[in-house]
Amino acid sequence: MNYFSLDNRKKEDILAEVKKLAASYVPEWRFEEGDREDPGAALVELFAEMYAGVIDRLNEAPERFYYEYLNILGVETARPAAAEGLVQFEISDSVEDTVRVPENSLLYIDREEENIVYETDQAIDASSNALKAVYYVNTQERRIERLDFEESENFFMKGNHENLQKHEFCISQNEIFDLRGKAEIVLRLMAETDFIRNEAVSRMTDSKN
């Protein structure tokens, strides 16, 4: 008959746990194991003996009782699931074109005497291209920064690099308006904040611009 070990603690483990808890709950009592003149130590000794006996009885319960108890609680056995992981392909630097590894390609890991076989669930394009530049982009702050490979960078955080983002447009186009007399042109500027809108109006109405 198979048995299921629920608790591996012994009498010595229970005594050590009681001594640890006693320092917090009753700091005025200095529990010393085996002290014949301390009634508290005798009670702890009896408690640990009885508690260890209960644990031994629980550990003698058949394994099927444990599973039946889980069934009563409504615990279901986890369904089988395929193992998964990440895979990386490296190709020779002499190969300029991208190499495609088709879907459902078989891979394996050498584990001593047994080879564990995996299967790719999607096509993978392997390339020998080197990373030339990394840019930080924040649309809310309207920033584009080129990160420096020579220095340590905090990804996903604004740095101290030059903001490369610029907005340029032209509204002077005679063919669009095709005006032959007096007219009033009204421009409605759309912006996320009043500050940005007012800044744009100030620049457009400045004769120097």
Side-chain angles (χ1 to χ4, degrees):
M1 181 178 298
N2 296 328
Y3 297 96
F4 195 91
S5 180
L6 297 174
D7 196 336
N8 296 323
R9 289 179 298 174
K10 302 298 181 183
K11 177 182 176 181
E12 295 76 13
D13 301 322
I14 299 173
L15 289 173
E17 189 172 350
V18 171
K19 187 174 184 179
K20 180 179 179 180
L21 294 175
S24 300
Y25 286 93
V26 281
E28 65 277 5
W29 175 45
R30 299 198 175 188
F31 167 62
E32 295 293 341
E33 183 179 349
D35 188 354
R36 296 181 178 273
E37 298 181 0
D38 184 4
L43 292 176
V44 171
E45 187 78 19
L46 291 174
F47 169 76
E49 188 73 30
M50 295 175 61
Y51 201 166
V54 173
I55 292 177
D56 292 338
R57 292 285 301 276
L58 288 175
N59 290 335
E60 292 178 356
E63 186 177 5
R64 60 186 180 87
F65 287 0
Y66 173 73
Y67 292 116
E68 185 62 29
Y69 176 68
L70 295 180
N71 291 333
I72 295 175
L73 296 179
V75 178
E76 297 181 357
T77 305
R79 297 179 180 179
E84 60 181 16
L86 299 177
V87 62
Q88 176 181 348
F89 293 92
E90 295 183 0
I91 63 176
S92 175
D93 294 336
S94 61
V95 179
E96 297 181 357
D97 297 333
T98 300
V99 178
R100 165 154 290 210
V101 180
E103 183 180 357
N104 300 327
S105 296
L106 297 181
L107 311 173
Y108 75 92
I109 297 179
D110 187 6
R111 292 287 179 84
E112 296 180 355
E113 299 180 355
E114 181 182 4
N115 293 333
I116 302 177
V117 180
Y118 291 88
E119 183 177 319
T120 58
D121 59 358
Q122 62 183 11
I124 302 174
D125 292 329
S127 174
S128 61
N129 295 335
L131 189 64
K132 295 183 177 180
V134 175
Y135 291 87
Y136 164 84
V137 179
N138 190 320
T139 56
Q140 294 182 349
E141 297 185 8
R142 293 181 171 84
R143 294 191 64 86
I144 300 178
E145 300 180 12
R146 178 168 179 169
L147 304 184
D148 189 358
F149 283 170
E150 302 298 329
E151 300 179 0
S152 59
E153 298 282 0
N154 295 322
F155 284 98
F156 311 112
M157 297 181 62
K158 181 176 64 175
N160 299 321
H161 306 291
E162 177 187 2
N163 185 10
L164 303 179
Q165 177 161 313
K166 292 179 171 53
H167 298 281
E168 297 181 359
F169 62 93
C170 179
I171 62 173
S172 176
Q173 186 58 262
N174 297 331
E175 288 77 7
I176 293 179
F177 298 107
D178 193 18
L179 301 176
R180 300 180 182 277
K182 293 184 178 181
E184 181 181 357
I185 301 176
V186 179
L187 298 179
R188 177 178 297 176
L189 303 181
M190 309 297 293
E192 295 180 357
T193 63
D194 293 339
F195 173 78
I196 298 177
R197 181 169 55 251
N198 295 336
E199 179 70 15
V201 171
S202 176
R203 292 188 179 186
M204 294 178 64
T205 55
D206 189 349
S207 59
K208 297 180 181 180
N209 296 330

